């Protein structure tokens, strides 16, 4: 009975999907290779070297330029996930048990890909430095918060800002393990995971219905992916770009306290405005498909 409850728990469901997606081939982004490829046409070799060894912000790369590069990556990933989603929608009702879980994992995998790319552009550290299949708790925590931002939750926005503030003030090259796993950020991680598990269940059901009719289901599934993935990626980009961590001119004050409460206990999950401007979906910039 206890095991069944754990499976039905939205929080556990989300973490299970996230872990499964993180193990899919091609989901993990090599930070060094990605930054070198993404910045090659825009920056000098010295800027690229410093961006890799330290951060793009430390290399003096402006947020405006990073926004341009980020939009290229978003267009690339959006086109890719939409095409794959449409293909997964083709089989029809007899393949529902196989295609619905696969499509969800594929969708989450592409969310992970764009989350990593945006994080690396806006000066977050390597999230998958370990070559093993496992994902450490701090990485799980920050990815959960990134997904929360993508889904428009105010608590996740505040928590990501707090984590970024800790790293900026400490000039850290690693995630703040304690805060994300048992400190003041952790309750927000758990709250976000429960909310995301519930939302993913609703989205999975909607996609399942769309696939019940072959061909038409493919169009609906691909369109649904495009209409959700693109604004979520844009939302995360906007939030990360606005943090001091991404700003080359930001100078962290010394001696500030980096711990404390993140949000009020009455904070609720409010969906963000899904209408995001400058969402150009017509052209896909060339990117190394291995990244």
């Amino acid at each position: 009975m206890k095991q069944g409850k754990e499976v039905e728990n939205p929080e556990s469901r989300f973490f299970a999907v996230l872990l499964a997606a993180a193990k899919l081939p091609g989901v993990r982004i090599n930070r060094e290779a990605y930054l070198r490829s993404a910045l090659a046409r825009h920056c000098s070799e010295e800027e690229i070297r410093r961006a890799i060894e330290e951060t793009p912000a430390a290399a003096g790369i402006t947020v405006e330029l990073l926004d341009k590069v980020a939009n290229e990556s978003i267009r690339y990933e959006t086109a890719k996930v939409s095409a794959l989603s449409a293909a997964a929608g083709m089989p029809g009702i007899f393949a529902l048990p196989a295609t619905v879980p696969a499509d969800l994992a594929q969708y989450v995998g592409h969310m992970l890909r764009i989350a990593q790319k945006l994080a690396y552009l806006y000066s977050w550290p390597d999230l998958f430095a370990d070559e093993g299949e496992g994902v450490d708790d701090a990485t799980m925590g920050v990815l959960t918060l990134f997904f929360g931002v993508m889904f428009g939750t105010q608590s996740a926005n505040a928590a990501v800002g707090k984590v970024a503030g800790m790293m900026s003030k400490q000039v850290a090259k690693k995630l703040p393990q304690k805060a994300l796993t048992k400190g003041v950020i952790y309750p927000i991680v758990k709250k976000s995971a429960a909310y995301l598990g519930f939302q993913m269940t609703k989205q999975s059901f909607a996609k399942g219905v769309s696939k019940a009719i072959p061909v038409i289901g493919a169009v609906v599934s691909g369109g649904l992916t495009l209409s959700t993935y693109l604004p979520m990626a844009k939302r995360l980009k906007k939030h990360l770009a606005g943090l001091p961590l991404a700003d080359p001119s930001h100078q962290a004050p010394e001696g500030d306290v980096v711990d404390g409460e993140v949000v009020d206990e009455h904070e609720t999950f409010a969906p963000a405005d899904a209408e995001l401007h400058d969402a150009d979906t017509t052209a896909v910039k060339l990117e190394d498909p291995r990244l």
Side-chain angles (χ1 to χ4, degrees):
M1 180 67 72
K2 183 178 179 181
Q3 184 176 2
K5 286 183 178 179
E6 288 178 353
V7 172
E8 293 302 317
N9 183 287
E11 178 188 330
S12 300
R13 184 184 304 120
F14 170 74
F15 283 133
V17 173
L18 186 63
L19 283 171
K23 294 179 181 180
L24 292 175
V27 166
R28 299 191 185 192
I29 303 297
N30 181 291
R31 178 181 176 275
E32 178 177 348
Y34 169 66
L35 287 177
R36 183 168 295 282
S37 173
L39 299 175
R41 290 179 292 133
H42 307 282
C43 301
S44 68
E45 181 58 34
E46 175 59 23
E47 288 174 325
I48 294 173
R49 181 195 64 78
R50 191 171 178 191
I52 292 170
E53 292 182 359
E54 299 179 54
T55 66
I61 302 174
T62 66
V63 174
E64 289 75 18
L65 176 57
L66 293 176
D67 285 346
K68 180 178 179 180
V69 177
N71 284 333
E72 293 172 2
S73 289
I74 289 173
R75 286 193 291 268
Y76 176 84
E77 293 295 336
T78 300
K80 189 174 180 181
V81 71
S82 298
L84 290 175
S85 179
M90 290 295 290
I93 194 168
F94 296 108
L96 276 176
T99 59
V100 173
D103 193 33
L104 178 59
Q106 169 186 277
Y107 187 81
V108 172
H110 276 275
M111 289 177 67
L112 282 173
R113 281 178 58 87
I114 195 59
Q116 291 170 82
K117 289 183 175 184
L118 295 176
Y120 300 153
L121 284 174
Y122 294 115
S123 295
W124 289 71
D126 198 336
L127 301 177
F128 291 107
D130 187 357
E131 293 297 327
E133 288 190 354
V135 184
D136 68 43
D137 290 341
T139 294
M140 284 284 287
V142 80
L143 288 173
T144 299
L145 295 176
F146 284 170
F147 276 38
V149 173
M150 295 171 89
F151 272 80
T153 62
Q154 297 302 315
S155 293
N157 281 355
V160 168
K162 190 67 177 179
V163 174
M166 292 178 181
M167 295 179 59
S168 178
K169 292 171 182 176
Q170 297 172 350
V171 197
K173 291 189 176 181
K174 291 185 178 181
L175 296 171
Q177 299 276 333
K178 183 178 178 181
L180 283 164
T181 57
K182 51 189 175 183
V184 293
I185 308 293
Y186 184 61
I188 310 303
V189 172
K190 290 175 64 66
K191 186 178 180 182
S192 297
Y195 173 79
L196 292 166
F198 176 71
Q199 291 297 318
M200 285 185 175
T201 298
K202 290 201 304 183
Q203 283 203 4
S204 181
F205 175 77
K207 289 191 175 187
V209 172
S210 76
K211 293 183 184 120
I213 305 175
V215 183
I216 294 178
V219 177
V220 173
S221 180
L224 180 63
T225 296
L226 177 62
S227 65
T228 56
Y229 184 90
L230 180 62
M232 287 196 296
K234 288 285 186 178
R235 193 175 293 132
L236 180 60
K237 186 204 85 168
K238 181 179 180 181
H239 188 62
L240 295 183
L243 297 174
L245 192 64
D247 186 358
S249 65
H250 175 72
Q251 296 294 326
E254 297 181 359
D256 283 4
V257 176
V258 298
D259 211 355
E261 294 299 324
V262 180
V263 292
D264 185 83
E265 63 179 355
H266 301 298
E267 176 68 85
T268 58
F269 287 97
D273 183 5
E275 189 66 30
L276 295 176
H277 300 290
D278 79 332
D280 179 8
T281 63
T282 59
V284 180
K285 298 284 186 177
L286 292 177
E287 262 191 31
D288 188 339
R290 295 171 297 176
L291 301 181

